[in-house]
Amino acid sequence: MRGIDLHTHTVVSDGTLSPTDLVALAARVGLAAIAVTDHDHVGAIAEARAAGARLGVEVVAGIELSVEHAAGELHLLGYLFDEHDAALLAALERLRMQRDARNARIVERLAELGMPVDLGAIVASASAGASARKGSRAEGSGAGAAPGAGASSVGRPHIARALVAAGHVASVQEAFDKYLGDGRAAFVPRARARPAEAIALVHAAGGVCALAHPGLVKRDASQVVRELSGVGLDAVEVWHPKNPPELRARLLALAEELGLAATGGSDFHGENKPDVTLGCEAVPLAALDALRQRKG
Ligand code: AMP
Ligand code: FE
Ligand code: FE
Ligand code: ZN
């Protein structure tokens, strides 16, 4: 039986495969459906869908949003929304403008620490990867494009790779551990919405919302799921590489109790997370049906 993978990234955010290559890989490993869930950007969905139509892989519209919580940063996954929704697109563009400003401050700090990197080149290279895609130049990518209007969502993983390329650190992980990770020397916080706001945004665009990788939540994940369930959460990501087995069992029971859908995916990022393979989680086909039911 062919599987599904509801958590994947492309070059439009911090993955390394183009949308077409991601879908081609999905077809090769025998997936029936994938959701494309780039950070703060829906720019990969149309191309992925076109590839999916050719290759027999269903492509579900997705997004990954970072939100603020007492437990620290949480990630929410939006699914099955209208990716042309004007309010959603405007909100995503605002988030990417905030990213641009924050990236500039991170790079300033790195320069002060004696590790200059060229932000213009980082953005151009991210956009070049993303805008190799047909039609994406219409979005305004590359040098001189309006802030936040780029073909890709640029963030710390891109800066980490530039630090490696410049020889300032040996690996992306070292870049995070020493400089870019929360609270490290060049860390700059990013403005984040509250969970209820992000959930409302996805709902208003006709979609549903899941809590991503509860295994990475720094407080009791069950408590966070209960709380978010009270502000409209539709689902919880039970199958994810960072969820230990005992947590999965607990989340399945909790989803049942609260009437939430149970979803899952690999969180595939290509070469940026080389130990994670597409389709590595055994996500039941029923997960997608359950999301559709929540939407209905
Ligand atoms: P940003 O959205 O720019 O804040 O970057 C967040 C992304 O950076 C996350 O989705 C992770 O892929 C990566 N990341 C964040 N913290 C770490 C860390 N400590 N080690 C490795 N990767 C990290
Ligand atoms: Fe990521
Ligand atoms: Fe995430
Ligand atoms: Zn992700």
Side-chain angles (χ1 to χ4, degrees):
M1 195 180 63
R2 295 161 79 207
I4 62 175
D5 189 332
L6 301 180
H7 191 162
T8 70
H9 297 266
T10 75
V11 288
V12 161
S13 64
D14 55 352
T16 57
L17 293 190
S18 73
T20 296
D21 289 346
L22 174 70
V23 173
L25 178 59
R28 256 195 331 273
V29 302
L31 294 176
I34 62 168
V36 179
T37 54
D38 279 308
H39 301 276
D40 301 342
H41 212 310
V42 293
I45 295 168
E47 181 190 319
R49 235 191 229 127
R54 288 195 305 274
L55 298 168
V57 176
E58 182 185 354
V59 171
V60 174
I63 187 90
E64 185 165 11
L65 300 168
S66 308
V67 296
E68 190 60 61
H69 189 271
E73 179 173 319
L74 302 178
H75 290 181
L76 297 176
L77 293 161
Y79 292 115
L80 298 166
F81 49 82
D82 170 13
E83 71 262 27
H84 305 291
D85 181 85
L88 176 68
L89 290 174
L92 296 180
E93 193 158 317
R94 272 198 304 280
L95 288 173
R96 296 198 300 268
M97 288 179 67
Q98 289 164 357
R99 277 181 175 279
D100 291 347
R102 180 221 200 187
N103 291 338
R105 289 184 59 203
I106 292 175
V107 166
E108 264 173 42
R109 292 224 187 160
L110 288 170
E112 285 162 16
L113 292 165
M115 285 171 295
V117 289
D118 181 349
L119 183 56
I122 294 171
V123 171
S125 138
S127 293
S131 68
R133 304 169 297 117
K134 195 176 74 188
S136 62
R137 293 206 178 271
E139 282 179 60
S141 62
S152 64
S153 189
V154 181
R156 286 180 288 165
H158 301 85
I159 299 174
R161 270 186 290 163
L163 284 169
V164 176
H168 297 310
V169 292
S171 67
V172 163
Q173 195 54 54
E174 186 186 340
F176 273 97
D177 291 345
K178 286 192 176 159
Y179 306 112
L180 302 175
D182 292 27
R184 305 297 171 184
F187 177 71
V188 175
R190 187 155 78 87
R192 291 187 292 254
R194 281 191 291 270
E197 294 167 338
I199 292 169
L201 181 70
V202 171
H203 283 173
V208 294
C209 236
L211 175 65
H213 39 67
L216 294 176
V217 172
K218 289 178 189 77
R219 287 201 196 163
D220 178 27
S222 301
Q223 202 44 53
V224 171
V225 171
R226 277 183 197 284
E227 182 198 325
L228 296 194
S229 168
V231 293
L233 189 75
D234 300 285
V236 58
E237 193 173 47
V238 171
W239 298 274
H240 185 282
K242 298 288 185 188
N243 291 350
E246 59 79 21
L247 177 63
R248 296 174 187 221
R250 191 148 53 90
L251 290 170
L252 269 177
L254 189 60
E256 173 89 34
E257 179 199 327
L258 298 173
L260 302 176
T263 70
S266 63
D267 210 352
F268 179 74
H269 282 69
E271 285 310 305
N272 279 344
K273 286 187 189 170
D275 49 331
V276 172
T277 54
L278 188 64
C280 64
E281 289 288 335
V283 184
L285 288 170
L288 191 47
D289 301 329
L291 286 177
R292 289 219 164 86
Q293 260 172 30
R294 280 294 299 211
K295 178 179 155 83

